[in-house]
Amino acid sequence: MNLFDAGEVDYGVLSGEYIQQREGDDHLKKVDQTSTFFIKMNQERDGKPTALENVNMRRAIAQAIDRDSMVDGVLKNGSKVANYFVPSGIGKNLSTGQDYSEESGQNHLVYDVETAKDSFEKGK
């Protein structure tokens, strides 16, 4: 922030803390960036399969994560929730013009406790 305030840089990635401090500042411009983060779950330990080898168990965990709370309560930086691996805005179907993230139907890991419970039961 010091370099920005001194006019030395005009672009930077800010933490949620700085964004909260600068909210309402005319110089603060939010720019979408395409990135996703994921958790890789160990499906094997000491050469033996774990419960996470079962796709329904992994699905249950993914469906039980409240990403909105993480984005709004932890990051606090204007991030958008991604319930898919490919972020929106990366590419469009040239024939239809529809965004890939919408057209692919990959939005199946939304936060839903009841669906997570069902997935867990299937995974037992």
Side-chain angles (χ1 to χ4, degrees):
M1 287 306 307
N2 292 337
L3 291 173
F4 177 80
D5 290 337
E8 306 259 338
V9 297
D10 58 3
Y11 177 84
V13 178
L14 302 179
S15 69
E17 179 183 356
Y18 279 116
I19 289 176
Q20 288 177 352
Q21 290 174 6
R22 297 290 177 126
E23 201 65 52
D25 184 331
D26 291 340
H27 295 101
L28 176 65
K29 306 290 184 219
K30 295 179 183 176
V31 178
D32 286 340
Q33 292 182 315
T34 54
S35 62
T36 55
F37 300 89
F38 65 93
I39 300 171
K40 184 172 190 276
M41 301 179 195
N42 293 332
Q43 298 174 31
E44 201 177 272
R45 179 173 285 150
D46 298 325
K48 297 178 184 172
T50 68
L52 297 176
E53 180 183 51
N54 185 304
V55 67
N56 288 304
M57 296 302 266
R58 297 191 308 271
R59 185 173 288 137
I61 292 169
Q63 292 166 330
I65 297 173
D66 185 352
R67 292 167 185 81
D68 285 314
S69 291
M70 289 176 63
V71 165
D72 297 338
V74 177
L75 296 177
K76 299 180 184 179
N77 62 2
S79 291
K80 296 177 184 174
V81 171
N83 295 311
Y84 36 78
F85 192 69
V86 178
S88 60
I90 281 199
K92 293 183 179 184
N93 180 323
L94 297 177
S95 300
T96 66
Q98 187 174 11
D99 191 282
Y100 171 79
S101 66
E102 295 169 12
E103 187 175 75
S104 68
Q106 63 177 349
N107 199 20
H108 61 278
L109 297 176
V110 296
Y111 173 65
D112 184 334
V113 174
E114 293 306 313
T115 304
K117 287 178 183 178
D118 291 342
S119 294
F120 179 79
E121 289 300 319
K122 287 178 189 173
K124 282 184 174 179

